[in-house]
Amino acid sequence: MGQLSNKSVFIIADNVCSPLGRTTAENFDKLKNGISGVQQHHRADLSNAPIAASLFNGNEVLIPGADTYTKFEQLLVASIAEALSQIKVQVDDPKTGLIISSTKGNISLLGTEENNEELQKRISLNTSAQLVARLFGFVSQPVIISNACISGVMAIVTGMRMIQSGEYNQVVVTGADVISKFVVSGFQSFQALSAERCKPFDKNRAGLNLGEGAATIILSGDEKYNGNIRVTGGGISNDANHISGPSRTGQELADAITKALSNAGVKSTDIDLISAHGTATPYNDEMEAKAITLAGIQHTPVNGLKAFYGHTLGAAGLIETVLAKQCMVQNTLLPTLGFEETGTAPLNITSAISDAEIKHCVKTASGFGGCNGALVLSK
């Protein structure tokens, strides 16, 4: 990529596809009514013990007649198709990009299929990306972002930079993850899962819930979308600290936030909403609270949506950014479900739905390997 310009990057269409609904509007309506997708599940194919998670029904048809596509790919296709139905985008233009974000992709096939050369190719994220690109008729080479739990946020920041580089006019950014025994056992080995619905930033938080879902954001540099919400800044950093434990100071996530604010040309006092990563694990929430404080935005209303969706891994940053954008459009602060008493460095956690003018929003994310991401949305 060449020199980045200050070109405006607009969100021109979006979708959230989750157990709560197949469109952004359906999902936002459920959130406003305090309805969570996280339920207790007794699924031997996922875990020997019951788990609290947000899952699609096992027999749910995401794309009729799409037997050749895995559940992960069907989620991507369903989300992209719904977003594209909202606006005319020339996908066969070389200046239309496609970014796919996921942490696990088709990894669950390792548990159900014979491990051979064909399977190795099938579980490659590149295979899924090419399938999806061909289905819709994209001609540009798909970009894959798989950087733990910041993948979704990083994908949006990458899409913004692709447009600002002048190499692309519009970019379709999509992401999805499905939950398998492989994923569940990994988080169980860390003792990171809560047996009940998670409580981000709460004193009695006991760990995270997992979730399935997909989301799509279509970005454009065309000034005819001047009235739309913009992606104005982004920052990525790494703790260089520990493979699974977050920074104890929060300085590195704070650096990503500060970088995103500078990139967006806004001050800390301009931010009206923080859509936090908020996994509800003891260490992540404390680190994030410290980072928000170090970045000077600790008085800004903060919400965490993982008690509604669980942690949707590579889709989380996308789902939560779409809903943050919807908060801005509707001038609404969503509650942090289950939050009662602060259990971290002091933050202004939203505990009830309320009206508020939201001109600028920060979305944060952190993940294994010490990665951190932040982006700014602006009216």
Side-chain angles (χ1 to χ4, degrees), residues 321-335:
T321 298
V322 171
L323 296 165
K325 174 235 156 186
Q326 205 61 21
C327 286
M328 297 175 76
V329 170
Q330 297 196 21
N331 289 316
T332 300
L333 293 175
L334 292 170

Side-chain angles (χ1 to χ4, degrees), residues 117-322:
E117 195 175 324
E118 188 180 336
L119 179 68
Q120 292 298 323
K121 185 180 177 189
R122 189 69 187 88
I123 64 172
S124 162
L125 279 171
N126 181 57
T127 301
S128 297
Q130 296 297 342
L131 279 172
V132 171
R134 275 200 303 273
L135 178 68
F136 287 101
F138 287 90
V139 296
S140 63
Q141 181 72 8
V143 174
I144 296 163
I145 304 284
S146 186
N147 189 9
C149 298
I150 76 165
S151 298
V153 165
M154 191 171 178
I156 298 166
V157 173
T158 302
M160 175 193 76
R161 290 173 178 171
M162 284 164 67
I163 290 172
Q164 289 178 337
S165 74
E167 293 180 30
Y168 293 84
N169 294 331
Q170 53 272 322
V171 179
V172 177
V173 186
T174 189
D177 264 306
V178 296
I179 302 308
S180 63
K181 196 161 198 169
F182 178 89
V183 175
V184 173
S185 61
F187 281 93
Q188 284 173 333
S189 72
F190 281 112
Q191 299 182 328
L193 295 183
S194 170
E196 308 293 330
R197 187 178 294 152
C198 70
K199 297 179 176 182
F201 300 103
D202 191 78
K203 183 181 178 183
N204 296 312
R205 66 190 186 279
L208 59 81
N209 307 137
L210 291 167
E212 297 181 318
T216 301
I217 286 178
I218 304 180
L219 303 174
S220 172
D222 194 328
E223 285 292 336
K224 74 180 181 186
Y225 299 111
N226 200 23
N228 292 38
I229 304 292
R230 294 170 294 142
V231 183
T232 50
I236 309 293
S237 68
N238 195 284
D239 298 343
N241 168 59
H242 192 274
I243 195 164
S244 63
S247 160
R248 294 305 168 94
T249 66
Q251 183 61 58
E252 297 80 9
L253 174 58
D255 290 345
I257 296 169
T258 304
K259 194 186 297 182
L261 293 174
S262 172
N263 193 208
V266 297
K267 302 188 293 293
S268 57
T269 50
D270 295 328
I271 304 302
D272 303 304
L273 169 66
I274 302 164
S275 173
H277 192 53
T279 61
T281 55
Y283 292 128
N284 174 87
D285 287 10
E286 180 60 36
M287 181 280 288
E288 197 168 8
K290 287 176 178 174
I292 287 167
T293 303
L294 286 168
I297 51 175
Q298 68 273 25
H299 303 299
T300 303
V302 177
N303 73 20
L305 300 181
K306 287 185 172 61
F308 288 103
Y309 290 101
H311 193 338
T312 53
L313 308 175
L318 276 155
I319 289 173
E320 291 159 15
T321 298
V322 171

Side-chain angles (χ1 to χ4, degrees), residues 309-363:
Y309 290 101
H311 193 338
T312 53
L313 308 175
L318 276 155
I319 289 173
E320 291 159 15
T321 298
V322 171
L323 296 165
K325 174 235 156 186
Q326 205 61 21
C327 286
M328 297 175 76
V329 170
Q330 297 196 21
N331 289 316
T332 300
L333 293 175
L334 292 170
T336 303
L337 199 63
F339 176 81
E340 291 174 354
E341 187 180 352
T342 299
T344 64
L347 293 177
N348 181 10
I349 307 290
T350 59
S351 55
I353 193 163
S354 62
D355 297 333
E357 174 69 20
I358 307 169
K359 291 180 180 173
H360 300 280
C361 165
V362 165
K363 170 77 198 113

Side-chain angles (χ1 to χ4, degrees), residues 28-146:
F28 199 73
D29 192 53
K30 294 281 177 64
L31 269 55
K32 287 197 294 186
N33 286 294
I35 298 168
S36 169
V38 177
Q39 311 291 338
Q40 280 277 351
H41 293 272
H42 300 261
R43 292 264 305 267
D45 60 320
L46 297 179
S47 170
N48 296 330
I51 59 166
S54 179
L55 306 173
F56 290 99
N57 294 332
N59 56 1
E60 201 163 345
V61 177
L62 295 164
I63 304 289
D67 299 340
T68 55
Y69 294 92
T70 62
K71 185 177 177 183
F72 161 63
E73 289 153 4
Q74 288 185 44
L75 272 173
L76 292 173
V77 170
S79 185
I80 293 169
E82 206 285 320
L84 285 173
S85 74
Q86 299 166 25
I87 199 139
K88 187 167 176 53
V89 173
Q90 198 177 338
V91 294
D92 60 353
D93 180 346
K95 293 207 127 191
T96 299
L98 173 65
I99 301 177
I100 292 178
S101 157
S102 183
T103 63
K104 296 293 179 275
N106 281 323
I107 200 79
S108 60
L109 295 178
L110 284 173
T112 58
E113 310 295 322
E114 185 185 342
N115 189 2
N116 52 31
E117 195 175 324
E118 188 180 336
L119 179 68
Q120 292 298 323
K121 185 180 177 189
R122 189 69 187 88
I123 64 172
S124 162
L125 279 171
N126 181 57
T127 301
S128 297
Q130 296 297 342
L131 279 172
V132 171
R134 275 200 303 273
L135 178 68
F136 287 101
F138 287 90
V139 296
S140 63
Q141 181 72 8
V143 174
I144 296 163
I145 304 284
S146 186

